[in-house]
Structures are given as C-alpha cells and as structure tokens.
Amino acid sequence: MVSEALKDALPQRGIQANSEDDQLAILTELIAQTLCDRNPGFREVIEHGGHEQVTRVIEEVLRGGRPLPDKVRAVMLRTDTDIHLVASALGDCLVSAPGEAPGLLIPAQLADGKSGRARLKGVLRHRAAVVGHAVPPHDAAASVRSASRLLDLASPHDGPEAGVVFVDDHLSSLLLLQDESLSRTLIARHLSPLAKLTPERCERLEATLLAWLGGMGAPEVAKALSIHPQTVRYRMRQLEKLFGARLRDPRTRFEIEMALRSRQLMAGARRRRAAVTRRPRAAAKPRTALPRP
C-alpha cells in the first residue's frame, strides 16, 4: 500500500490521481525526477536505458515499504553472457539494460567481509569482473565508472584464468589513471632523464628505481628483481647520474614514483585492450543455472 503520507503529497503539489495505481505511477516519476535533479550521475543512468529498472525499484519500495540499501556497488562484467543467471544467484540487484556495458548494481553489503567476497567470487567464477566501491544509491554512477576503469586492467577474457577484482584493493591505481593526460604530463616531466636510453636499459633502471623508491635497500631490491646486490648498486649509481639532486628531494621522489607507476598502469591497460581487440569472438556455450550460495 502507498502510505497516507505519500498520498497526501500529491494534492499538495496540485496533482490529482483517482486510483492507487495512478498515485503510484505519479509518485514514482516525482521521486525519479528529484533524484535526477540532485545528482547528474543518476540522470545519466536514466537517460542510458535505466529508467524501467529504476522505476521498478521505486515502485517496490513504495508498495512494500522495502527500503533502498544505504550503499550500493557496481559489478562490471567483461561480457553479458548469462547475466540474468548471475543476477538471480545474487538476489537483490539491478541488471544493465541491453546495449549498455554489462554489469549489475548490488547492495554494498553483499561484498562486505571475507564471506561476502567469497560468495561473489563463487557466483562470478570464471568471469572477468570488477566490484566497485560502496557509494550512496544516488552516486551509483561513480561506482560504475571506477569499476569500468579497473576492468581495463583486469583479465581481458572470461575463462578459468579470469577472476573477480575489487576496486577497494586498487584505489591508488585508479587515482593515478583518473586523468591520463595529467599522467602523461607527469611522466614527461619526471622521467625525461630516461628518454634517450634503449627500451631494455630503461626498463631495467625503472624497475630498480621503483623498488628503491618503495623503501627497499640493495639486498631487498636484489631479491625482488632476482639480481645480485652489486648489480643494484651499479644501477643506482647510474640513476644518480641521470637524476642528480632530484632523488634527494622528498616531494620529487614521490612524484617520480607516481610517474613510474602511472607508466606501468597505462602500459598494462593498453596491452589488455589490445588483447580484447585481437581475440575472435567464440560461440557462447550454454551454462547451467547458478545455484544460490
């Protein structure tokens, strides 16, 4: 039943509705419009095919008094194969509309704690998937964006090697990738001393410098890179000649590390996008219904 308080809201706006169904439809549209006015990201969801699903959820809340979750997470998938079976196994969630990037919107608590993560990994087994960060429902578009961006760095295909990745575990990487133009500027500014080196030598020195900037001494860097400590010391002398006093300034060292990590992440994203483009589409094999965990 639509509550008396909500029914009273219509006459206050000068709106007349004869039946409860009319009242429900009008209230649903009013709520959806209010959410759009308050948050441009929510308007994007509506305009890109999510209107029917959003209105259905609002109607269910009004009819049954079932509250919306305090926070939600996006789950973005590489493909939409059997996406409705995934939704059925997870239970209370919204599914992306046809033609949109495949994904779901789930209550944030479904991914909370070890048990929540284990359940999601079971349902999404053998799928390339990313679970977004928890946000209020009106900011769901932000979780969709971050999960979609991280999907560029995840496994390029569904299959046994694919798995679930969580935005919460990669926040710093996403911050570095948020604006690739700024990242390229940072790289050009701070890694210019390496520009004239051969690709092989540049790669070796970058790996050594990144490990050293992470607080490792020569023995730890050597162990991490599987090289001799004396090789590490030799490379560090080369780097000191190339970078000079910049390696002694804390802020500059921090920005150099950001530039190195940005270059790694952007290169990884390019490789994965290329892998997705090169792989031919295989005929989808039928899957059995997923049991509820």
Side-chain angles (χ1 to χ4, degrees), residues 226-245:
S226 299
I227 56 178
H228 195 278
Q230 195 59 35
T231 304
V232 175
R233 296 184 182 96
Y234 171 71
R235 290 182 185 178
M236 285 308 304
R237 287 195 294 270
Q238 290 181 299
L239 288 164
E240 286 169 1
K241 289 180 181 179
L242 290 167
F243 286 89

Side-chain angles (χ1 to χ4, degrees), residues 97-173:
E100 294 182 339
L104 309 102
L105 202 60
I106 65 172
Q109 64 186 21
L110 290 184
D112 287 349
K114 291 183 179 180
S115 60
R117 287 193 171 201
R119 183 190 179 207
L120 279 176
K121 288 178 179 179
V123 172
L124 297 169
R125 184 169 176 263
H126 292 175
R127 293 176 185 270
V130 174
V131 180
H133 61 303
V135 295
H138 66 265
D139 202 22
S143 189
V144 171
R145 285 194 298 271
S146 63
S148 299
R149 191 68 185 91
L150 188 55
L151 193 60
D152 282 345
L153 305 177
S155 176
H157 309 289
D158 289 346
E161 296 181 0
V164 183
V165 181
F166 294 84
V167 164
D168 289 347
D169 298 336
H170 299 274
L171 295 174
S172 60
S173 297

Side-chain angles (χ1 to χ4, degrees), residues 275-292:
V276 171
T277 303
R278 286 196 303 268
R279 178 165 174 169
R281 275 187 179 272
K285 296 182 179 179
R287 299 185 183 180
T288 56
L290 294 170
R292 288 182 180 274

